[in-house]
Amino acid sequence: MPLQLEAARQRLRLWTEPDIAAQRTLITERGEGMLRVGVGPRPWKGAFVSVGCVQRSERVAVIGVGILGASAGWNLSRHGAEVVFIDAGQPGEGVTNWSFSWVNASNKTGRRSYFDLNVAGMAAYRELAETIGPDSWWHPSGHLRWAGDTAAEAKLLETAELLASWDYWVEVCTGAEVRRRLEPALTVPGKTPVLFYPDEAWVHGRQLVGRLVDRAVESGAERRSGTAVCDIGVSADGSIRTVALSDGSSLDVDAVVNAAGPSASRVAGLIARHLPMRREPGAVTRIDCARVPVRRAMHAPHVEIRPDGDASVVLHSREIDALIDTGEEPAELARLLHESAKHVVPELGNSLIAQTRVAHRPIPADGFPSVGAVPSVPGYYEAVSHSGITLGPVIGRLLASEILSGKRDEMLADFRPERFPQ
């Protein structure tokens, strides 16, 4: 075993051994160059939030029907609210459908409260799969990550230590073990350290959105697809009262949820609110495969790869994203992604590029979600976030609880909309 990997093993043991006294399960398994170190799955108290006592019946317009809007609308509708889903396109066909769709908290270590929110999102997914059925949208197969140079490897192992200290399950493997036990189609070098996160997953976002919206409609929700919101009316006291649509219709409502993704700033402007957003376009490519050669999401050097059903694979790369503003055509971005992927999974060389899209990620200016009520406009709520796939189920539940009960959950304290000055 390489000295760097062995040193990481020793440090990870120091981080996790105290958890034995806390009656958690510590895993330390050796085998052909692999080390498994981590704390086994445990309940996450913040994930399963009850809506509690509903103060009054509400008619809520959910603007934008990606994963955040669908989850909020489904939670509202199943607890008695009258929900109207409004989307300029079709449910789940926007950014949600053009996301890497990776459910994780391992990439969210910059702020502990944000990490905790994402862990809660992961736990909420497990409950959601039990509630509505996993079918073909839920794939809890774990996630792999490795680097291409020693400096990046050291940083990954440092992150693994931090995550283990936060009770997050991570396994440190070698490339040889990964090929033998997890992903035989990979070309990762045998002695390369690879992090495996067993509790992480990927989801088929469009299918999940469809399932949630269908469930909400069964509970009485209404769909307004192919029409945009062009105005939001308020009463004399400043509270939300109407929503005007581009098809000429107008809806009387008690509240609106701004889950409009990349268009969230425009929707906020309809109530004279400034919601600052980053501009971060991303290119995602789908390739068709006769046989999908990988089982789980992975971050390899230069490219991210995940399955996308029985005959498709999704590719993404931050390095390729950096070329978008240079004027590269989507077809060339797709070719570069495909070329990078073939170096990691040679079987993908026989696949064909099917679709490519440059999507704009809905990221508030400081990089963190904007979720909850805007006190200056009663009845107006935001659900705007990068990592919407991971956070969809937990934000949907927390926001529904806030709308129907009036109670603000502490889990969202760092992510309130009022942090942005007006």
Side-chain angles (χ1 to χ4, degrees):
M1 179 180 293
L3 290 177
Q4 186 183 41
L5 188 55
E6 176 62 23
R9 181 187 74 84
Q10 295 296 338
R11 291 194 298 269
L12 281 165
R13 286 187 64 188
L14 289 174
W15 283 118
T16 56
E17 279 179 338
D19 289 326
I20 298 174
Q23 295 185 339
R24 299 189 181 101
T25 303
L26 178 70
I27 289 84
T28 54
E29 177 185 341
R30 293 281 299 269
E32 196 180 307
M34 182 189 76
L35 167 73
R36 295 186 179 188
V37 183
V39 179
R42 55 173 169 67
W44 190 260
K45 294 179 181 178
F48 310 123
V49 181
S50 169
V51 167
C53 178
V54 176
Q55 293 182 345
R56 63 188 186 278
S57 178
E58 294 274 1
R59 190 180 196 209
V60 184
V62 177
I63 305 171
V65 194
I67 183 59
L68 289 170
S71 182
W74 173 66
N75 276 286
L76 285 163
S77 123
R78 70 185 182 131
H79 288 99
E82 184 182 348
V83 173
V84 183
F85 291 110
I86 304 168
D87 198 286
Q90 297 297 318
E93 294 288 349
V95 176
T96 292
N97 191 40
W98 294 97
S99 162
F100 192 61
S101 297
W102 166 39
V103 178
N104 82 97
S106 60
N107 206 38
K108 317 293 174 55
T109 58
R111 181 185 290 185
R112 182 60 192 262
S113 60
Y114 187 51
F115 169 82
D116 288 345
L117 183 63
N118 279 269
V119 171
M122 294 168 64
Y125 261 109
R126 291 190 285 272
E127 184 187 316
L128 180 63
E130 293 177 0
T131 301
I132 69 172
D135 288 349
S136 58
W137 66 266
W138 174 233
H139 301 270
S141 48
H143 169 252
L144 294 166
R145 182 187 283 268
W146 68 98
D149 60 74
T150 55
E153 285 176 0
K155 187 172 182 179
L156 288 183
L157 292 170
E158 181 182 345
T159 299
E161 294 175 25
L162 174 64
L163 290 166
S165 76
W166 289 353
D167 290 357
Y168 195 82
W169 198 348
V170 54
E171 301 179 4
V172 184
C173 316
T174 64
E177 182 66 16
V178 166
R179 293 199 311 267
R180 188 176 72 84
R181 299 185 61 173
L182 299 175
E183 295 286 0
L186 300 186
T187 60
V188 56
K191 294 183 178 181
T192 295
V194 181
L195 301 186
F196 178 44
Y197 297 99
D199 287 342
E200 296 182 354
W202 69 271
V203 302
H204 196 297
R206 188 180 71 251
Q207 291 182 10
L208 174 56
V209 167
R211 173 66 63 85
L212 292 173
V213 171
D214 287 347
R215 287 291 187 99
V217 169
E218 290 171 5
S219 297
E222 180 183 352
R223 270 183 287 224
R224 295 287 189 98
S225 300
T227 185
V229 172
C230 56
D231 194 23
I232 298 174
V234 298
S235 63
D237 65 359
S239 60
I240 298 294
R241 279 295 170 264
T242 61
V243 172
L245 303 182
S246 59
D247 63 7
S249 62
S250 180
L251 307 173
D252 293 327
V253 297
D254 301 297
V256 299
V257 173
N258 180 357
S263 299
S265 183
R266 181 192 69 80
V267 171
L270 298 176
I271 60 160
R273 166 170 164 74
H274 175 58
L275 173 59
M277 302 280 285
R278 291 184 181 178
R279 184 185 181 278
E280 288 198 18
V284 172
T285 289
R286 283 185 166 88
I287 57 177
D288 289 339
C289 308
R291 185 188 78 86
V292 174
V294 292
R295 294 188 55 245
R296 49 187 54 82
M298 60 191 69
H299 279 64
H302 314 301
V303 68
E304 302 160 18
I305 304 170
R306 71 159 173 85
D308 192 47
D310 294 332
S312 180
V313 169
V314 164
L315 307 177
H316 173 253
S317 168
R318 292 282 181 172
E319 295 176 19
I320 302 301
D321 287 351
L323 301 176
I324 294 171
D325 287 338
T326 68
E328 287 287 5
E329 293 296 323
E332 176 62 10
L333 300 176
R335 188 193 68 79
L336 293 170
L337 283 167
H338 195 197
E339 192 66 29
S340 294
K342 288 189 290 186
H343 289 298
V344 180
V345 186
E347 284 186 51
L348 295 179
N350 297 321
S351 58
L352 298 175
I353 295 171
Q355 295 175 298
T356 301
R357 178 76 58 84
V358 174
H360 291 271
R361 301 181 183 95
I363 310 177
D366 62 3
F368 295 104
S370 180
V371 183
V374 172
S376 61
V377 185
Y380 172 82
Y381 300 83
E382 287 179 350
V384 184
S385 180
H386 188 34
S387 298
I389 289 289
T390 297
L391 296 175
V394 70
I395 283 180
R397 184 179 300 184
L398 292 171
L399 192 58
S401 176
E402 182 171 330
I403 293 170
L404 296 178
S405 72
K407 296 179 180 178
R408 293 160 59 104
D409 194 284
E410 279 301 306
M411 189 171 288
L412 296 176
D414 286 346
F415 313 112
R416 290 280 165 194
E418 59 259 39
R419 74 183 186 274
F420 294 114
Q422 297 299 299

